[in-house]
Amino acid sequence: MPGTMLGMADASWAADPAGRPDPAGRIVVVGSGLAGLRTVEELRAQGYAGQLALIGAESRPPYDRPPLSKQLMAGAVDDTSLRTELESLGALVRLGERAERIGDGAVCTDRGEYPFDRLVIATGARPVALPGPGQQRFLRTLDDALALRETLLPGARLAIVGAGWIGAELATVAAARGCHVTVVEAGQAPLAVAMGAQIGALTVPWYASAGVDLVLGQAVESVQDGGLALAGGDWLAADVIVTAVGVRPEVSWVESSGIELDNGVAVDALLRTSRPGIYAIGDCAAFWSGRYQRRLRPEHWEVALRGPVVLAANLIGGSQRYDPVPYFWSEQFGRMLQYVGDHRNAERLVWRGSPDGDRWSACWLAGGRLAALLAVGLPRDLQQGRRLIESASLVDESRLADPAVPLRAAALE
Ligand code: FAD
């Protein structure tokens, strides 16, 4: 739907010939992923009646990313569109159009200029590539996912670089589709960066039982035609290579704007950048958390879903703080993993249930309180743990460690 005009005349975005400001203002949202779409939806839901534009580089209407490595890759669905009635939002929707820079009060794209009173940067993140001339695939967009799925034929040799969340989810589905899957990971355990090597090591047997070869402590030097050149001189032959070694915030187009960047667009607790009238949200934004006393850029779906509620309020004059307890989930090797909190400053790790079993939770404690929780197959632990973290209650460690006792009963206050 490139350049679709929905609900207002295109010319109305041009400056008023008489130079009068629009009393309700003009808001431009750049990035038509979940965060951008939700911002537009929330602005309308919260009563914003002024002009609104949504500009997105992808030509597809907004869609959801988590199912790309799960249901879509497995063949259960072919489309993950977010079923919003874009027409009803009364916004100028420009798809297949890329913002190139922020000028003086206007966004400049590869097609034109959009003057704004307020601007939202919601351009997400892009995958990190490895060196080398061979074909490497990524799993970020719907087009990436559809093209990759075509290659996952029974017997195909698939090499996945990186045993993080995406690598593990893709390995799960590809093995089930009959591919010979090898996951090459530079760290000493899967998920080591996000969860720590102790937790990551617990997932190693999951790979073996799914028939996936996991090679740990092995850096990849480059991607070549027909395989991976491994550090140390070895070679891994592959028909399909997927690089899943993380993403970087998509802020290249913001660099010339003078806006402070710090692992993404740096925003305060109200989601404001260092330039008045310009805000950021979603995977591209590092927001100040009063709860954790540092900037967070979680790369989680829930931030893109719920952050816009606060952002929209602030765009129309509010002063709400966005300070969530981070949450995400992953589905891998037949298990549901759910994580809530932040364990960076945790002092101790307490288990609920045996980590050798199918259902267990890992609880990180700091100062006698629950700091973070990873629940494997235990959604109730997740829900109750989330409340314990939000309320910052002191907890009784022996009750916490007893899987027969509901987690909420571990609260001391
Ligand atoms: P994006 O979804 O990246 O959207 C940004 C949009 O901006 C893109 O469409 C991009 O093309 C566009 N854009 C970029 N630059 C420009 C420009 N210059 N001009 C105009 N447009 C531009 N999270 C979880 O919590 N749980 C999960 O299980 C999970 N699974 C995932 C599986 C996959 C395969 C992927 C890729 C992500 C997953 N995530 C998951 C993460 C989650 O999907 C993201 O956190 C979320 O999509 C971020 O939304 P966003 O709108 O900030 O960014």
Side-chain angles (χ1 to χ4, degrees), residues 229-273:
L230 304 177
D234 282 349
W235 172 256
L236 177 69
D239 305 309
V240 182
I241 295 167
V242 178
T243 303
V245 295
V247 296
R248 296 285 175 269
E250 180 50 275
V251 293
S252 51
W253 69 282
V254 181
E255 275 162 9
S256 63
S257 67
I259 289 173
E260 184 191 349
L261 301 177
D262 176 14
N263 178 30
V265 182
V267 292
D268 66 8
L270 277 65
L271 303 172
R272 300 175 299 196
T273 71

Side-chain angles (χ1 to χ4, degrees), residues 30-36 55-58 63-70 97-100 122-125 139-141 166 169 250 253 281-284 299-302 304 327-331:
V30 180
S32 57
L34 182 63
I55 301 170
E58 291 184 71
Y63 60 87
D64 217 8
R65 294 188 200 276
L68 300 182
S69 50
K70 306 176 182 71
E97 184 163 341
R98 183 171 288 277
E100 292 181 330
T123 43
L139 182 41
R140 180 75 195 176
T141 68
I166 304 281
E169 293 191 352
E250 180 50 275
W253 69 282
I281 187 66
D283 279 10
C284 67
E299 293 171 11
H300 299 162
W301 182 85
E302 198 174 68
Y327 163 77
F328 73 88
W329 80 99
S330 171
E331 293 162 45

Side-chain angles (χ1 to χ4, degrees), residues 112-319:
E113 269 192 34
Y114 297 82
F116 63 80
D117 299 298
R118 275 148 292 161
L119 170 66
V120 176
I121 301 169
T123 43
R126 74 183 127 82
V128 174
L130 290 170
Q135 186 188 11
Q136 54 186 310
R137 295 174 179 273
F138 304 96
L139 182 41
R140 180 75 195 176
T141 68
L142 180 51
D143 290 326
D144 291 342
L146 290 171
L148 174 59
R149 192 175 70 179
E150 292 294 303
T151 71
L152 300 185
L153 303 170
R157 295 167 306 172
L158 169 67
I160 301 171
V161 186
W165 304 112
I166 304 281
E169 293 191 352
L170 176 60
T172 303
V173 177
R177 290 177 73 105
C179 300
H180 294 301
V181 185
T182 305
V183 178
V184 184
E185 164 60 49
Q188 295 305 319
L191 306 177
V193 175
M195 293 287 101
Q198 187 184 3
I199 298 282
L202 298 171
T203 74
V204 171
W206 303 354
Y207 287 75
S209 55
V212 173
D213 289 330
L214 175 64
V215 184
L216 294 170
Q218 177 63 66
V220 170
E221 213 146 69
S222 63
V223 180
Q224 302 291 332
D225 284 340
L228 294 173
L230 304 177
D234 282 349
W235 172 256
L236 177 69
D239 305 309
V240 182
I241 295 167
V242 178
T243 303
V245 295
V247 296
R248 296 285 175 269
E250 180 50 275
V251 293
S252 51
W253 69 282
V254 181
E255 275 162 9
S256 63
S257 67
I259 289 173
E260 184 191 349
L261 301 177
D262 176 14
N263 178 30
V265 182
V267 292
D268 66 8
L270 277 65
L271 303 172
R272 300 175 299 196
T273 71
S274 59
R275 246 177 87 173
I278 304 184
Y279 298 69
I281 187 66
D283 279 10
C284 67
F287 57 87
W288 177 258
S289 166
R291 190 188 295 274
Y292 297 110
Q293 287 296 300
R294 62 188 161 85
R295 284 215 172 89
L296 303 180
R297 194 178 63 77
E299 293 171 11
H300 299 162
W301 182 85
E302 198 174 68
V303 173
L305 182 79
R306 299 200 197 284
V309 178
V310 171
L311 173 58
N314 294 345
L315 283 164
I316 57 177
S319 52

Side-chain angles (χ1 to χ4, degrees), residues 289-375:
S289 166
R291 190 188 295 274
Y292 297 110
Q293 287 296 300
R294 62 188 161 85
R295 284 215 172 89
L296 303 180
R297 194 178 63 77
E299 293 171 11
H300 299 162
W301 182 85
E302 198 174 68
V303 173
L305 182 79
R306 299 200 197 284
V309 178
V310 171
L311 173 58
N314 294 345
L315 283 164
I316 57 177
S319 52
Q320 294 185 17
R321 289 176 183 277
Y322 182 60
D323 201 5
V325 172
Y327 163 77
F328 73 88
W329 80 99
S330 171
E331 293 162 45
Q332 49 183 274
F333 304 109
R335 294 163 175 86
M336 170 66 95
L337 279 63
Q338 293 170 291
Y339 176 90
V340 64
D342 181 308
H343 63 266
R344 186 188 281 207
N345 297 322
E347 294 142 9
R348 300 169 38 64
L349 186 56
V350 174
W351 303 99
R352 274 171 68 78
S354 166
D356 299 327
D358 279 342
R359 286 145 53 95
W360 48 267
S361 292
C363 306
W364 285 267
L365 298 179
R369 296 174 166 80
L370 187 61
L373 176 133
L374 174 68

